[in-house]
Amino acid sequence: MGEKALQSPTPTLEWYSRFYARACRNWMLATLCNGGLWIAGGIAAQNPLTVASPFFMAELYNAPEDYLQKMPVKLIEDKDSGLWGGAWLARQIAIQD
C-alpha cells in the first residue's frame, strides 16, 4: 500500500517528498557538496516520483542561502550502484596489498 502511495500524486507523496527534501537539504548544507547532490538508494530508485515531485524541489531549495540553487540534483537509478562502490573499494584494497 505504501509503495502505491509514492507512485502517483497523492498527499502521501507530497509529504514524503517534502521530508525527504529536508533531509537532503540538511546534508547539502552540512557537507557543502559543491559537485551536486547524487541521490542513490532503494526508496528513491524505486520511487523516482519522490525526487521528481515539485514538492521535493520546492522544499529542497527552501533555504535562505542561494548556495543550494547552484547545486545540481541527480537521481542514480542504477540499483547496483552500491555494489559498484564496494567493488571499487575492494580493488583499491587489493592494489595496496
Side-chain angles (χ1 to χ4, degrees), residues 56-87:
F56 177 86
M57 296 308 280
E59 189 65 37
L60 183 71
Y61 294 134
N62 184 14
E65 298 85 3
D66 290 338
Y67 175 71
L68 295 178
Q69 282 78 9
K70 298 174 187 171
M71 291 186 203
V73 176
K74 307 272 187 199
L75 175 62
I76 300 173
E77 296 182 34
D78 182 359
K79 294 177 184 168
D80 294 331
S81 64
L83 294 174
W84 288 110

